[in-house]
Amino acid sequence: LLRVPEEKDPFFAAFQAFGFPEAIPPLSEAKNKCWFDDKSFKAVIVSATDAAHGAVWDDGMHLKDPDGRPYDVLPEGEYLLTAILSGKDGKTLAESKKKVTVGIRKSQAIFRFHPDAHREAMFRWCEENGYAYIREPLPGYLDPYAGEWERHMGFLTMYRANDIALFASPATRVKMFLYLIDPTSTSYETELAYLQSVGALGEKGRFEAFFYDIGEAVLSCPGCGSKGKIVSAGAQGNVSLCRIDILKDGKPASDGVFFTDGSGITSFSPVPEDGVLCFPAGRPFALSGVICPWQMDPEDFRKKDDNTYEILNAPDDVVYEFMFDSAPWEDAGLVRTDVRKAGLERMSPEPAGSSVFEFYHIFSFPAPFAGTKGRLSVLAFDRKHLPSPAGKRVYEFRIE
C-alpha cells in the first residue's frame, strides 16, 4: 500500500477518515470491502478473482468469497446494483438502485490528469466526441486524501489491472492524447506499453493520437496568449511542429525545457497548416513539437509483476535538416543538420512533469541569414537508430 508519508498523515488518521475499502482486512476477503461513515459509502465489487477466472490481468489481491472460493468474471449484460442501509435491528433504513452495464467500450481515451486546465479540456473533448474516459478512481487507486496530488497511491498493481481491462478488447478504439506522457505514468508504462506488446498500434483503426496545435492547453506570455486546439497526429510516427517561440534575452534556456508560465519567451507563433515557417535572424528561437507513437517490436515491451512494463524502445532522436535555397556567404553551406534528443521537461517554475513524445529545441541563425529561404525536414528515430515509418515531415521556411 502506497500512501502519503507519516509526517503528512500521523497514525493514518486522514487515511482512515477518507475511507479506502480496498485496505480493509483481511485483504483477500471481498465481502469486507465496504466502508461508510455518516455521510457516504464506498465499496469494491469483484468481477474475476484472477486471470484463471476471467480477469485480463491478475491484480495482486485475488479477492475471494467468505468461504475462500474465487469469483468468475461477470458475464456481459445489464445489471441492477442495489445499496441498502440497515439498522442494528436488521430493518432497512434506506436503499438506492442503479442500472449498470458490463461490456466492451467502443472507445477509450488515454490522457494525463494534470494540470487542471488540461484535465478539464480532456473531459470536454471526450464528452463532445463520445470517447469513454476514466473520471473517478478505479479500484485500487487512492485519491489525494491529504491535500494536493503528489504521486500515484493505493494498491497500484490492483489499479493497473483494472485499468488495462478497459483497453484489452480488440474492438475498443483507443484515443491517446500526447501531452505530459511521463515515462513513469500509467499512460506510458502500462496502457501504451500494453498496446505495444499486443501489436495494437499496428491494427487498422484501433489507435489514434492527438495533441494541442500550439503544444499547450493554454499558452501565455507578456502581451500574448492562446488556447490550444485539439488536432489529430495523423500517421504513426509523424513529427508535427506546433509553434515557434522567440526566446527572451538574458533568460536561461536549454533544449528540452519549457517554462509553462511563459517567462522564457517574448512571443510565439503557431505553425501554419499550409504556410511558411518564419525564423528570426540574430536571436535564439525554439521549435515545439510532438511525435506520434508507432508500432514497435512487441518483444521490446516486457510486463513486470507490478503490472508495469520494462520499455526497451521509444522515440529517441529528432533529426532536423535545414536546406537553404542560397547561402548567405560562400562558406555557409546549403545544408545544416542538427540531431536533438526527444523529450520535454515542463517547469512552472518548479518541475511540472516530463513527456516522452514532445520536444523543445533551441536554434539560432546569425544576422546575415536574414532574407534566406528553404525547406526544413524533421524525422524521428528510435533507440535502435531506426527512422519512424512516417518518414520526414517537410516545411518551407524563411529567415527574417
Side-chain angles (χ1 to χ4, degrees), residues 201-228:
L201 274 68
E203 298 174 12
K204 185 177 180 180
R206 190 171 176 190
F207 180 88
E208 186 177 8
F210 299 81
F211 65 98
Y212 292 118
D213 61 342
I214 60 172
E216 301 291 332
V218 178
L219 184 62
S220 62
C221 62
C224 57
S226 183
K227 289 186 177 180

Side-chain angles (χ1 to χ4, degrees), residues 257-377:
V257 179
F258 173 65
F259 287 84
T260 59
D261 60 2
S263 60
I265 63 178
T266 60
S267 63
F268 64 87
S269 56
V271 169
E273 292 184 12
D274 299 313
V276 178
L277 308 182
C278 184
F279 302 142
R283 65 178 304 165
F285 64 94
L287 292 178
S288 166
V290 174
I291 302 169
C292 181
W294 66 90
Q295 181 62 54
M296 297 179 173
D297 186 348
E299 296 298 321
D300 287 330
F301 300 85
R302 301 175 181 176
K303 187 169 173 288
K304 299 187 289 187
D305 291 341
D306 65 356
N307 288 339
T308 64
Y309 280 80
E310 180 185 9
I311 298 172
L312 302 179
N313 200 9
D316 194 38
D317 290 321
V318 179
V319 177
Y320 297 86
E321 190 174 62
F322 296 88
M323 296 161 283
F324 299 95
D325 291 342
S326 60
W329 60 80
E330 185 176 346
D331 296 331
L334 292 174
V335 178
R336 169 179 166 179
T337 301
D338 282 282
V339 181
R340 307 292 180 89
K341 284 297 178 185
L344 170 61
E345 183 74 29
R346 285 184 171 86
M347 307 288 286
S348 65
E350 299 299 320
S354 57
S355 185
V356 175
F357 299 105
E358 298 174 85
F359 55 86
Y360 194 75
H361 297 139
I362 298 171
F363 300 91
S364 64
F365 293 107
F369 274 74
T372 59
K373 298 184 297 180
R375 291 166 308 284
L376 167 63
S377 71

Side-chain angles (χ1 to χ4, degrees), residues 239-241 287 318-321 359 376-380 391-395:
V239 176
S240 299
L241 296 180
L287 292 178
V318 179
V319 177
Y320 297 86
E321 190 174 62
F359 55 86
L376 167 63
S377 71
V378 192
L379 178 62
K392 296 178 179 180
R393 190 74 177 266
V394 180
Y395 299 86

Side-chain angles (χ1 to χ4, degrees), residues 173-192:
R173 301 293 185 255
V174 178
K175 311 295 182 179
M176 183 172 187
F177 205 89
L178 304 175
Y179 181 79
L180 272 180
I181 303 299
D182 189 276
T184 61
S185 67
T186 302
S187 299
Y188 183 64
E189 67 175 0
T190 295
E191 294 169 345
L192 181 61

Side-chain angles (χ1 to χ4, degrees), residues 127-182:
E127 290 164 2
E128 290 170 359
N129 290 279
Y131 303 149
Y133 64 100
I134 301 169
R135 183 162 191 149
E136 297 177 348
L138 293 171
Y141 193 89
L142 177 58
D143 255 353
Y145 62 92
E148 294 184 1
W149 188 92
E150 295 181 20
R151 61 185 183 186
H152 295 308
M153 297 186 298
F155 292 121
L156 296 185
T157 300
M158 180 187 191
Y159 154 67
R160 295 177 187 123
N162 287 309
D163 178 283
I164 214 64
L166 304 174
F167 301 92
S169 171
T172 299
R173 301 293 185 255
V174 178
K175 311 295 182 179
M176 183 172 187
F177 205 89
L178 304 175
Y179 181 79
L180 272 180
I181 303 299
D182 189 276

